Amino acid sequence: LILWLKNFWKLMMLAKYLLIFLTSFLYSQNIDMYISLIHEGQSEGVKDNLPELISKYPNDPGVIYLQALLTVNGIKSLELYSKLIEKFPESKYSGEASVKIGEYFYARGLYSQAGRQLCLIPRKYPRLPNMQVVIDMMVSSFRAIGEEDSVKYYSSIYQSMFPNLDISKHGIERVTMPSPQIIKKAKTKEPKPYIVQIGAFGSIQNANRLKLQVTQIGYDVEISPVQTNGKGLHAVRVVRYRSKSSAERVGESIKKKLGIDYRVLYRPVDN
């Protein structure tokens, strides 16, 4: 009897795990189906089901991605994509979320931000199915701001990583890696030691929210960890400028547009 009970218990536990697996699998399939419907322009039915999904699975990466896809407000959608990447970096939706952020910057004409976002994606998410699209947009972004060296540098790296990429369509026939000495010289040629600090938050979510807001009006923003009175904070900084006066002009412009106070700080980069 005892042996029978043990075997019965094992069968029950196996059935439980099988049910959990099947439920998870079917749920994942539903999310992918919803995403396909959105891409096909059939988003109304997905919108009807979204409130229930958010209620049941508020912290699920697939639900967050769906919510971001269906959010009309650009800032809000960027916040959702950033939340997904931050909380679920290994999720199968994180790569696509990173691409969406790059697409948004590109569509808004923020080519510097788009280039920096897109050039990191192939390394972080090498299994993305739409890598050609990412590279094409990256090249267009860098060329829009005259960064031809960046085009050659990243094209060289990713051409070797993804042999099927069509780099020739961009007029790049032979890509060579710039030497480390040239890269270092370019970085150190014009020191820009001044930054504009526009806030410091205990919450990384609040820091990201301000970063997105200021990025929207065309500035390069970084979040840096700082210590204040023994407390760790996330400093939001507009970077970087050669002179204090140029940094102050940027600070005044941001204050005028968004009503945000600022401080100009001398923070040279240790090259």
Side-chain angles (χ1 to χ4, degrees):
L1 179 60
I2 294 175
L3 181 60
W4 182 86
L5 288 173
K6 285 182 178 180
N7 289 333
F8 178 76
W9 175 252
K10 289 180 180 179
L11 288 172
M12 291 295 292
M13 292 301 295
L14 180 62
K16 177 183 177 181
Y17 290 132
L18 181 60
L19 179 61
I20 292 173
F21 171 78
L22 288 174
T23 301
S24 175
F25 175 77
L26 291 173
Y27 168 74
S28 177
Q29 292 293 101
N30 283 338
I31 293 294
D32 290 341
M33 179 190 70
Y34 289 144
I35 292 172
S36 296
L37 289 173
I38 293 172
H39 290 161
E40 293 169 6
Q42 304 178 41
S43 60
E44 291 304 318
V46 183
K47 287 180 181 178
D48 293 339
N49 289 306
L50 186 60
E52 183 180 357
L53 288 171
I54 294 173
S55 175
K56 288 183 177 180
Y57 313 102
N59 295 311
D60 182 88
V63 173
I64 295 172
Y65 185 62
L66 277 178
Q67 189 178 0
L69 286 175
L70 293 171
T71 298
V72 177
N73 183 289
I75 290 290
K76 181 63 177 176
S77 66
L78 288 183
E79 289 178 3
L80 290 167
Y81 289 132
S82 297
K83 175 184 176 181
L84 169 58
I85 295 166
E86 178 192 346
K87 289 193 171 184
F88 307 98
E90 303 302 321
S91 166
K92 69 177 184 177
Y93 305 106
S94 294
E96 293 292 347
S98 294
V99 175
K100 290 294 181 183
I101 293 175
E103 288 177 346
Y104 178 82
F105 288 148
Y106 185 82
R108 292 293 303 271
L110 302 173
Y111 299 118
S112 178
Q113 292 91 325
R116 285 198 302 276
Q117 173 75 14
L118 294 164
C119 72
L120 300 176
I121 289 174
R123 291 184 184 179
K124 292 178 68 176
Y125 309 102
R127 296 183 180 180
L128 272 178
N130 56 342
M131 198 61 71
Q132 183 70 55
V133 174
V134 174
I135 298 299
D136 291 347
M137 199 166 12
M138 179 200 74
V139 170
S140 297
S141 298
F142 282 134
R143 282 189 167 162
I145 54 176
E147 292 193 13
E148 191 64 30
D149 285 344
S150 295
V151 171
K152 293 178 180 178
Y153 177 74
Y154 289 108
S155 295
S156 174
I157 294 173
Y158 297 138
Q159 191 176 40
S160 62
M161 287 178 62
F162 308 100
N164 293 327
L165 282 177
D166 183 8
I167 302 297
S168 62
K169 67 193 295 185
H170 300 292
I172 306 172
E173 296 181 2
R174 183 180 179 184
V175 182
T176 56
M177 287 283 289
S179 69
Q181 290 80 7
I182 294 175
I183 296 171
K184 184 175 181 180
K185 183 178 179 181
K187 288 183 178 179
T188 59
K189 186 177 179 181
E190 295 184 353
K192 298 180 180 181
Y194 292 95
I195 58 98
V196 182
Q197 185 161 309
I198 52 177
F201 304 90
S203 166
I204 187 64
Q205 288 82 8
N206 290 337
N208 280 325
R209 188 173 294 112
L210 180 58
K211 176 183 176 181
L212 290 171
Q213 187 179 8
V214 178
T215 299
Q216 282 285 297
I217 58 175
Y219 293 101
D220 298 338
V221 185
E222 293 179 354
I223 296 176
S224 304
V226 297
Q227 289 287 328
T228 303
N229 298 324
K231 182 179 180 182
L233 298 174
H234 305 280
V236 184
R237 295 170 170 177
V238 185
V239 295
R240 46 185 50 250
Y241 303 94
R242 288 191 293 272
S243 67
K244 185 176 181 181
S245 59
S246 59
E248 286 176 341
R249 285 195 295 270
V250 169
E252 284 298 321
S253 176
I254 293 173
K255 184 176 182 179
K256 183 178 179 181
K257 292 177 180 178
L258 301 176
I260 299 171
D261 287 327
Y262 70 92
R263 287 193 301 157
V264 172
L265 304 175
Y266 181 74
R267 295 291 186 272
V269 176
D270 184 5
N271 292 305

